[in-house]
Amino acid sequence: MKIIDKSLYTFSGDNPPFCSAQPGEVLLFRTMDCYSGQLTSEDQKLEGLDLTKCNPAAGPVFVEGAEPGDVLVVDVLDITVADVGCTRTSGKSGPLRDVTEERNRILHIVDGCVQFNDIRWPINPMVGVMGTAPAGDSVATGYAGSHGGNMDSKKIAKGARVYFPVQVSGALLQMGDIHATMGDGEICGAGVETAGEILVRISLIKNFTLNWPVTETGNNWYVNATGKDYDESLILASKELCRLMEPAYGWDATDIFIYLSLQGDVEINQACRPLSTPMVNVRVGIPKTAGKKPLIG
Ligand code: CA
Ligand code: ZN
């Protein structure tokens, strides 16, 4: 099995592949935490961190046969985490930024639980950054877009299947930024950031139009979309979900609109960017329903 253990800080069609792989292969991504392991003590000052080394994403993997217009499928088979993680407030982002201070916390993971002050809760590991190379300019791994990237969805966890539009030959898959746990919205700007390993199986769907990454879980489909604010992101995700549902459900847009209001869920993946570079990642989901075709494939 190939082990992908070198990381880059951009998604780009110009990034040299770390290795290539065939559809159907199982791969192990060995990833650093989102600070590239720089944050090791609660006394460290933010000025001491090299912020160009945030959100390292291991790869890229060149997927044989993947061409623009195809869909890359990533099955998350397992996620393992280190026994320590970290988190911090930056003083620059999130809804409580002006009533809180900058603080680092080192958090230990013991017996499958995160210890925080006087309470603990079970870990629920997720992959914050996963994506393919964008068609146009390179995108820093701290951002998200139609290529995926820093989507920070709690649903990208063990057992999830994630679909990405292929925008360049070989797709150039990268991932990293494991969180042992994170709340929806990630409002202080970090989860329990940890190094770890992500075991995936990759496969390919030829010639299927997909505009935004989709997450399939045991019970739900979610379209992930990213805009500068909530309204823009919600419209982008809803329109893509509607477009995918029309052939799968055989309904028109108006019936889909009504159904999404009755049975769909609008959820926030992440909304913690500084005001200088706004970005909101939303997911709009529907339950899987017997008798309806899969949205993709
Ligand atoms: Ca992240
Ligand atoms: Zn993170």
Side-chain angles (χ1 to χ4, degrees), residues 161 163 205 208 214 216 221 241 243-250 286-297:
R161 174 174 284 180
Y163 301 84
I205 297 171
F208 185 94
V214 167
E216 179 186 0
W221 293 94
L241 181 55
R243 189 187 68 81
L244 292 167
M245 285 179 72
E246 278 175 327
Y249 279 60
I286 51 168
K288 289 182 175 174
T289 301
K292 292 298 178 190
K293 288 187 220 152
L295 295 191
I296 300 174

Side-chain angles (χ1 to χ4, degrees), residues 34 55 128 150 152 177-179 186 190-191 193:
C34 78
N55 290 295
N150 191 14
D152 280 325
D177 187 28
I178 293 173
H179 300 159
E186 199 194 27
E193 308 290 341

Side-chain angles (χ1 to χ4, degrees), residues 4-126:
I4 297 94
D5 60 1
K6 272 183 77 173
S7 292
L8 298 173
Y9 297 89
T10 57
F11 286 94
S12 168
D14 295 330
N15 284 341
F18 174 86
C19 66
S20 57
Q22 298 285 340
E25 258 189 84
V26 173
L27 305 168
L28 184 73
F29 288 78
R30 190 167 283 159
T31 64
M32 295 184 280
D33 72 42
C34 78
Y35 307 116
S36 297
Q38 298 178 89
L39 192 59
T40 55
S41 129
E42 299 196 338
D43 303 325
Q44 264 171 289
K45 281 283 162 238
L46 184 59
E47 302 84 70
L49 296 184
D50 179 352
L51 293 179
T52 66
K53 298 232 168 356
C54 277
N55 290 295
V61 173
F62 183 98
V63 180
E64 301 284 353
E67 293 296 337
D70 298 341
V71 171
L72 179 67
V73 184
V74 179
D75 280 299
V76 181
L77 305 178
D78 202 9
I79 304 171
T80 57
V81 300
D83 55 10
V84 65
C86 58
T87 193
R88 71 174 174 93
T89 56
S90 69
K92 293 195 182 70
S93 66
L96 298 181
R97 65 187 176 279
D98 46 6
V99 293
T100 54
E101 57 192 38
E102 213 183 294
R103 182 174 297 167
N104 303 334
R105 296 298 308 270
I106 303 296
L107 301 173
H108 292 276
I109 299 163
V110 181
D111 297 333
C113 289
V114 177
Q115 185 75 41
F116 180 80
N117 294 346
D118 47 357
I119 66 166
R120 49 163 54 196
W121 62 88
I123 61 169
N124 181 26
M126 53 164 275

